[in-house]
Amino acid sequence: MGEVGGFLKIEKHTFQYSDPAQRVGHVKEFIERNPTEVVSQQGARCMECGVPFCHNGCPLGNLIPDWNDLVYRNRWDDAVRQLHSTNNFPEFTGRLCPAPCEASCVMEINEGEAITIKQIELAISDHAVNAELPIEAPEHETGHSVAVVGAGPAGLAAAQQLRRMGHAVVLFERDEAPGGLMRFGVPDFKIEKQVIETRVAQITGEGVELRCGVDVGVDITVEELRDEFDAVILTTGSRVPRDLPVPGRELEGVHYAMDFLYERNRRVAREFGPAPQGTTPADTGITAAGKKVVVIGGGDTGADCVANSLREGAVSVVQLELLPEPPANRPDDRTPWPLWPAKYRKSYAKEELDALDLGEQDFSVVTTAFKGEGGKVTKLKVSKAGDAPPFAPVEGSEFEIEADLVLLAMGFLHPEQELLDDLGVEKDARGNVKSVAPYTSSVDGVFAAGDCRRGQSLIVWAISEGRRAAKMADKYLGTREKDIADALTAH
Ligand SMILES: Cc1cc2nc3c(=O)[nH]c(=O)nc-3n(C[C@H](O)[C@H](O)[C@H](O)COP(=O)(O)OP(=O)(O)OC[C@H]3O[C@@H](n4cnc5c(N)ncnc54)[C@H](O)[C@@H]3O)c2cc1C
């Protein structure tokens, strides 16, 4: 374990984000690292609790106290091995995970005192990448082939695991480059795309065949897919956005957040690199430059829209949330420790908005109509919302907000349905792939992982599910092998 009584002697130091007023001037990553000695000392604060609740908080089951201790003892290579034994991509989670592990850390019983797990994970992953990621080729080939459909974090994790088990893996991706929402949703200032490229180079170096620009179900039919591969893993994400069908929705200037974010990420890639190898679709022309922007939706997607708008040169940005403002501290009656606290967290984008004094974030606001001139949006008609479902407009509280770009960031409903229907997989009540056994669809040999199975979630869950679905597919292929051997013996 770390240093005896470390948590009593050593002050908490986590990483900081760079100055919000400065960082809006560029698209470089904004996490600022502490020196290695400081991170080692932070590892010493972990007391390797008898019951490490952080294990439970982390969907990957990361062995957190073990690598905290290794970092404290400056055994960085061992920490790298330990971390990769449960997490294929710590450089993704170290940058992007909201860190449920920290919320469930025993130190967090005193709110704000958690071990700086995310910082330590990022430092270990920096060490791994600087030392060059090793190519872990399989020891033998099984002769089985698996198609993984969708190269987001779930698909990348599933593909890497299956390849290391010795299967021939083809990873199909509709977009021009891999990464899923991490590449085309999440902005560079949260994760520079070179980070994804470096990991993908390892995965393909290990023998995964990556085919980008292939829309499965269109460019390759479901029948061809089933003929060519012994098993299929669906990792297509949850991509159908929630709409706001109010009067004026059809006006020019009202867009889904993802259309804006895709466009913006492609532009940044073209301008600052690394540019994807495949053919990038033509510009759609959605831009926040010089616009009065209103973002509807107070979550991560909304925050990324706000921050991108500021960097593009919007003249004002307002972010609206339907739900009431959460309490400032952990509400012990609703989400006591070690649960994820339902409390207000000031987003990085709100910090930027405050620093530039270009707009505001407002809670309990419901949009009832868009108004426009000449077919273009000019205003939102809004009201204060009631504080319980269905969050209906409060009479007499109407007001208007000027806007010439409105971004709808109100979450996602479910995966696109066509491919699921073509394959004939059963769906759950929300339209996600239904599991009849863990990560196993109702169709023989078809598995599912990530957002397309659990609904829009987190990268850490996507990686975890990708790993588990790979295990189930491997088991299935092993059983098939045994069945064939048994059948041959019977003859
Ligand atoms: C704007 C935004 C910001 C986010 N920020 C964070 C964050 O900071 N931290 C965090 O933990 N989570 C964040 N999330 C959530 C996180 O990105 C997702 O939960 C995660 O990416 C899901 O991974 P996935 O692999 O299941 O799906 P996706 O990442 O959606 O990947 C699915 C892939 O499948 C491909 N695909 C779909 N259909 C086909 C087909 N028919 N043929 C071939 N390919 C296909 C898609 O093109 C895509 O590349 C964010 C989400 C959004 C939208």
Side-chain angles (χ1 to χ4, degrees):
M1 61 177 265
E3 191 171 314
V4 176
F7 69 100
L8 295 170
K9 296 183 264 182
I10 302 163
E11 240 180 76
K12 178 173 174 173
H13 282 293
T14 192
F15 48 49
Q16 303 295 319
Y17 292 152
S18 52
D19 178 2
Q22 302 287 319
R23 70 187 188 224
V24 288
H26 59 80
V27 294
K28 304 295 283 175
E29 278 185 7
F30 53 36
I31 288 181
E32 289 187 342
R33 281 23 174 210
N34 279 315
T36 307
E37 312 77 72
V38 172
V39 180
S40 286
Q41 277 295 295
Q42 291 300 302
R45 292 179 70 237
C46 175
M47 291 295 98
E48 208 167 351
C49 309
V51 181
F53 283 83
C54 54
H55 280 196
N56 198 43
C58 175
L60 284 158
N62 278 342
L63 306 168
I64 294 160
D66 299 40
W67 37 261
N68 279 341
D69 184 57
L70 290 168
V71 162
Y72 164 54
R73 293 175 198 288
N74 272 314
R75 289 171 53 190
W76 288 90
D77 292 342
D78 291 332
V80 166
R81 270 189 291 278
Q82 178 74 279
L83 179 51
H84 279 93
S85 70
T86 55
N87 184 357
N88 297 60
F89 314 131
E91 69 280 21
F92 301 165
T93 45
R95 285 172 170 80
L96 298 171
C97 192
C101 53
E102 291 189 13
S104 62
C105 169
V106 171
M107 289 290 289
E108 190 61 17
I109 292 172
N110 292 330
E111 204 169 348
E113 284 300 310
I115 308 303
T116 62
I117 301 169
K118 178 166 159 168
Q119 159 175 252
I120 294 172
E121 180 180 38
L122 183 58
I124 300 171
S125 76
D126 283 349
H127 188 89
V129 171
N130 291 339
E132 218 172 282
L133 299 171
I135 299 294
E136 294 179 34
E139 282 167 12
H140 69 284
E141 300 290 336
T142 64
H144 292 304
S145 59
V146 186
V148 180
V149 186
L156 290 168
Q160 184 166 52
Q161 290 298 100
L162 284 161
R163 180 63 200 132
R164 287 177 176 177
M165 291 165 187
H167 305 301
V169 181
V170 177
L171 177 55
F172 290 98
E173 172 51 53
R174 179 172 56 192
D175 286 329
E176 67 273 28
L181 288 175
M182 272 186 320
R183 184 183 282 267
F184 292 108
V186 181
D188 272 46
F189 32 95
K190 282 167 72 180
I191 185 167
E192 284 172 25
K193 301 311 181 265
Q194 185 55 48
V195 177
I196 302 172
E197 296 273 312
T198 303
R199 185 58 80 169
V200 169
Q202 183 204 35
I203 295 171
T204 51
E206 290 175 358
V208 170
E209 186 187 336
L210 175 64
R211 292 191 203 159
C212 288
V214 181
D215 191 351
V216 174
V218 177
D219 300 318
I220 168 171
T221 65
V222 159
E223 292 73 28
E224 286 165 338
L225 194 73
R226 298 306 319 264
D227 276 355
E228 198 182 325
F229 298 95
D230 300 321
V232 175
I233 302 199
L234 296 171
T235 49
T236 52
S238 174
R239 296 300 192 96
V240 177
R242 184 169 286 114
D243 202 355
L244 187 58
V246 296
R249 169 64 182 88
E250 73 291 346
L251 289 166
E252 199 182 307
V254 182
H255 300 279
Y256 288 121
M258 281 312 299
D259 293 341
F260 169 68
L261 293 173
Y262 255 80
E263 173 91 10
R264 180 76 184 134
N265 270 303
R266 284 182 168 132
R267 277 202 207 138
V268 168
R270 273 201 299 272
E271 211 169 318
F272 304 101
Q277 298 297 307
T279 317
T280 310
D283 262 9
T284 57
I286 308 171
T287 172
K291 302 258 175 74
K292 292 176 197 141
V293 181
V294 175
V295 178
I296 304 183
D300 274 349
T301 308
D304 291 346
C305 288
V306 170
N308 269 305
S309 300
L310 294 174
R311 280 166 182 74
E312 266 201 300
V315 294
S316 66
V317 185
V318 174
Q319 187 179 17
L320 303 177
E321 169 56 49
L322 178 67
L323 304 181
E325 183 168 348
N329 298 106
R330 180 193 280 280
D332 282 330
D333 53 338
R334 278 197 289 142
T335 50
W337 177 89
L339 300 181
W340 178 249
K343 66 175 183 181
Y344 176 73
R345 292 172 187 80
K346 188 171 187 175
S347 72
Y348 78 93
K350 175 69 166 65
E351 279 177 7
E352 295 173 358
L353 201 53
D354 289 349
L356 298 191
D357 198 17
L358 276 185
E360 57 183 335
Q361 187 181 36
D362 205 355
F363 290 86
S364 293
V365 177
V366 54
T367 304
T368 52
F370 300 112
K371 291 176 158 183
E373 281 164 25
K376 293 184 179 168
V377 70
T378 53
K379 278 179 189 158
L380 282 78
K381 210 174 143 202
V382 300
S383 293
K384 289 310 277 183
D387 55 11
F391 306 107
V394 174
E395 234 183 271
S397 67
E398 299 81 12
F399 59 106
E400 292 186 336
I401 305 173
E402 288 187 12
D404 38 27
L405 175 66
V406 180
L407 300 171
L408 306 178
M410 302 173 303
F412 299 82
L413 299 171
H414 46 63
E416 292 158 24
Q417 305 285 288
E418 293 78 3
L419 178 60
L420 311 189
D421 292 340
D422 286 357
L423 279 163
V425 298
E426 263 183 66
K427 290 171 275 185
D428 65 17
R430 309 176 97 176
N432 299 320
V433 180
K434 182 175 169 181
S435 296
V436 295
Y439 310 98
T440 307
S441 84
S442 58
V443 173
D444 185 53
V446 179
F447 302 83
D451 284 3
C452 73
R453 196 194 74 87
R454 64 179 295 116
Q456 182 69 219
S457 182
L458 294 174
I459 287 158
V460 67
W461 271 113
I463 301 171
S464 165
E465 294 220 347
R467 290 170 64 86
R468 289 163 199 239
K471 216 179 246 179
M472 292 306 289
D474 179 58
K475 204 168 152 203
Y476 165 81
L477 293 169
T479 313
R480 256 180 53 136
E481 212 163 65
K482 187 172 170 305
D483 286 348
I484 294 166
D486 288 350
L488 288 174
T489 325
H491 279 87

